[in-house]
Amino acid sequence: MLLSEVVDASREVGATRSRTAKTRVVAALLARAEPAECAVVASWLAGEPRQRKVGVGWRTLSSHAEPAPGTTTAEGSAPLDVVAVDALLDGLATTAGAGAAARRGALLDELFAPATADERSFLVRLLTGELRQGALEAVVLDAVAQASGAPAALVRRAAMLSGSLPTTAHAALNGGAEALEAVRLEVGRPVHPMLASPGGTLEDVLADAAQRALDVVVEPKLDGARIQVHLDRGADVPVRVWTRTLREVTDGLPEVAAQVLALPCETAVLDGETLALDDDGRPRPFQDTMSRFGSDEGSEVLLSPFFFDLLHLDGRDLLDEPLAARLVALDGLLAAPGHAPLRMPGARGASADEAAAVLERALADGHEGVVVKDLAAPYAAGRRGRAWQKVKPVHTLDLLVVGAEWGYGRRTGSLSNIHLAARDPGGGAPLVVGKTFKGMTDALLAWQTATFPGLATAEHRWGLELRPELVVEVAVDGAQRSTRYPGGVALRFARVLRYRPDKTADQADDVEAVRALLV
Ligand code: AMP
């Protein structure tokens, strides 16, 4: 398959807001791909190289992508094909050590020299992450189902269990439903975590559950970092830990590993939250927890793990069991004496009063709110469903920063007013829903000013347009209808609470979550 065919499909996908139309275009392309090309094409259309990162920044890319003055692009060269481009990207991703910059430069020239202007622009956007727009992954998974004839639920499940879209596309398109069914939870390979969706007030969420005749558990929502911990005593590294974005952090969290090693089992996959606590057990600021996940090697804060789900125990997969059964297994495992408490208890089958008491206690203890969970629901990742709903006292949204304006007055020289966008659930470009310069400390302003230029896709007199990659959590008073913003909705009084380095763009809230706040 030629690169130009993928570029044309990508353009078509971008040109329509209809999710059905996008899915159709992607499915048609995947159906034409050769067996060896499926994984690559699926990955590109979801906005990511198969290699995920190739280690080349925007400036280097654009300097190589710019045709030398006087040369005519692409004429006379053989057209680029998908497999050849993927092989060059492999080369880029694995080039390291002395002389790497020069070798990368040569590979980039090899990549761009035969490319047409459209192909260059596609490749630059692919490699800088600009094409990566959360919802696209869901569109591509649906298209994989369409093109392979396998049920969409089976495709999504394989993606959750393998943690990899290319692997899933390859299995579906080459081996059909049978190959997808063979994708199982493997201890030692992280699965995509189940997500919570923003709920309204506790009363609303409970009333909604009652109406649907659901039994729920109300658990404190800890304000830390999501961790997925795999224990396998037979493995070289018995305990391994991943973040919400499936980044491995095993080496960085020995104290978490030690606690899990003390559990009375041979194999387990645990899902939970880890956070830094004060001596009196109150959560320390979120930044203290995150300091253990960044490049700040010197951080000496200790983290405490708390688990709220169990996906596997001693050879038994629990993912498809209802939460009620998973919690019985989890409580049984964690009840063994001899280790620190690893569970923040919630209230099961709670009455409205008991649920309110859990929320009150959680807030009094310094936590964020509660998560209300359907006790009958299996563990399901990918889409934010209503099986887990989070309730917080203030409305907060996780939005994408897509632009920043130069400040004035005291903020002259700082990138200050940020443009906030929500994901388009149809897979289109993020939709701007507001701006804010509130809630920023001087340190945060300095960080923005230093960080944003590395994400710039265009420079203007007023400021920068940014690749939609950074997720920022804002508090808002609500939302109102707007004729000015493309999603038809604008935030009311947004202020920055913090950046969320633990979240990727596809985990930002979508415009429906913003519309849900319309008063
Ligand atoms: P948010 O980060 O606002 O999307 O809220 C969902 C996140 O809350 C999950 O991904 C977990 O990291 C975290 N969390 C904290 N406590 C719980 C809990 N008891 N159950 C599920 N998620 C929790």
Side-chain angles (χ1 to χ4, degrees):
M1 175 171 284
L2 296 179
L3 171 63
S4 61
E5 295 173 74
V6 185
V7 174
D8 289 347
S10 168
R11 187 184 316 107
E12 262 185 82
V13 168
T16 169
R17 303 245 358 236
S18 150
R19 195 186 157 117
T20 322
K22 284 180 200 288
T23 312
R24 209 180 312 121
V25 173
V26 179
L29 190 75
L30 287 173
R32 295 207 319 270
E34 297 289 331
E37 296 165 343
C38 300
V40 180
V41 172
S43 194
W44 289 359
L45 285 170
E48 207 170 52
R50 190 181 52 79
Q51 299 75 0
R52 292 218 155 147
K53 294 232 179 312
V54 295
V56 185
W58 178 68
R59 278 186 205 288
T60 314
L61 273 173
S62 20
S63 69
H64 285 272
E66 206 61 48
T71 55
T72 50
T73 46
E75 263 168 47
S77 343
L80 281 165
D81 77 64
V82 166
V83 173
V85 172
D86 184 56
L88 284 168
L89 300 186
D90 258 344
L92 282 173
T94 51
T95 298
R103 280 205 301 283
R104 283 216 185 95
L107 286 168
L108 285 172
D109 289 339
E110 210 179 314
L111 179 65
F112 287 119
T116 63
D118 281 352
E119 290 170 345
R120 283 162 192 253
S121 140
F122 173 84
L123 289 168
V124 169
R125 285 180 301 137
L126 177 70
L127 299 181
T128 52
E130 225 186 298
L131 288 178
R132 206 186 310 133
Q133 286 151 11
L136 275 179
E137 171 152 345
V139 168
V140 175
L141 285 175
D142 281 350
V144 165
Q146 236 175 56
S148 66
L154 198 56
V155 173
R156 280 201 292 274
R157 182 184 159 76
M160 165 178 89
L161 292 176
S162 66
S164 159
L165 171 71
T167 308
T168 306
H170 183 86
L173 292 155
N174 293 307
E178 209 177 310
L180 290 170
E181 268 157 16
V183 180
R184 307 202 67 84
L185 173 80
E186 280 174 28
V187 181
R189 180 176 71 176
V191 307
H192 275 303
M194 181 155 176
L195 302 174
S197 54
T201 63
L202 185 58
E203 294 79 54
D204 291 347
V205 172
L206 292 177
D208 175 56
Q211 206 186 5
R212 293 189 288 149
L214 300 181
D215 271 339
V216 294
V217 57
V218 181
E219 298 183 341
K221 182 175 187 308
L222 308 184
D223 192 11
R226 185 83 174 257
I227 46 167
Q228 189 179 127
V229 185
H230 291 222
L231 167 69
D232 178 358
R233 291 189 196 278
D236 291 346
V237 182
V239 180
R240 296 175 67 186
V241 188
W242 285 269
T243 64
R244 178 203 302 262
T245 55
L246 308 190
R247 182 164 67 88
E248 184 163 6
V249 288
T250 304
D251 292 343
L253 302 181
E255 72 272 39
V256 171
Q259 301 235 34
V260 171
L261 261 182
L263 294 176
C265 61
E266 286 301 308
T267 58
V269 175
L270 292 142
D271 187 8
E273 191 86 354
T274 187
L275 71 168
L277 298 177
D278 275 344
D279 292 342
D280 57 3
R282 288 180 69 81
R284 300 187 31 165
F286 178 72
Q287 287 77 356
D288 287 0
T289 298
M290 289 318 294
S291 71
R292 290 289 306 278
F293 290 88
S295 48
D296 178 8
E297 304 251 317
S299 169
E300 281 171 7
V301 185
L302 282 182
L303 297 183
S304 305
F306 293 95
F307 296 109
F308 48 71
D309 219 317
L310 181 63
L311 314 189
H312 175 100
L313 181 64
D314 284 336
R316 186 173 144 221
D317 286 345
L318 298 168
L319 284 135
D320 293 324
E321 310 245 346
L323 175 62
R326 303 200 304 276
L327 289 183
V328 169
L330 178 68
D331 288 338
L333 177 66
L334 301 185
H339 54 76
L342 294 174
R343 177 116 179 93
M344 285 272 181
R348 232 177 269 194
S351 69
D353 284 349
E354 282 166 322
V358 177
L359 176 59
E360 237 168 79
R361 198 175 55 237
L363 295 174
D365 288 348
H367 302 305
E368 255 193 312
V370 291
V371 186
V372 180
K373 299 179 177 178
D374 172 3
L375 279 165
Y379 194 87
R383 302 195 164 177
R384 280 179 192 270
R386 277 201 298 173
W388 290 8
Q389 296 195 48
K390 50 192 179 188
V391 174
K392 302 183 194 175
V394 286
H395 298 300
T396 65
L397 290 164
D398 296 322
L399 297 171
L400 294 159
V401 184
V402 296
E405 297 171 20
W406 292 110
Y408 45 87
R410 215 174 74 75
R411 292 194 179 181
T412 302
S414 295
L415 284 165
S416 166
N417 201 13
I418 57 175
H419 299 188
L420 303 163
R423 271 193 306 112
D424 172 359
L431 300 161
V432 175
V433 289
K435 299 180 186 181
T436 187
F437 52 84
K438 298 216 161 63
M440 295 166 186
T441 59
D442 287 347
L444 190 72
L445 280 169
W447 176 84
Q448 291 188 166
T449 310
T451 307
F452 287 171
L455 297 165
T457 54
E459 289 185 31
H460 302 278
R461 279 174 65 101
W462 55 261
L464 305 174
E465 286 177 54
L466 303 176
R467 200 157 75 223
E469 198 162 282
L470 294 174
V471 179
V472 68
E473 184 175 341
V474 295
V476 293
D477 286 2
Q480 61 201 20
R481 286 179 209 293
S482 158
T483 47
R484 220 179 45 188
Y485 286 127
V489 62
L491 303 174
R492 293 177 55 218
F493 303 112
R495 55 238 178 239
V496 170
L497 293 177
R498 60 198 172 174
Y499 277 81
R500 296 293 304 254
D502 57 326
K503 290 202 169 185
T504 50
D506 57 339
Q507 294 171 346
D509 284 314
D510 66 22
V511 75
E512 292 305 333
V514 183
R515 286 192 193 123
L517 301 179
L518 281 171
V519 280

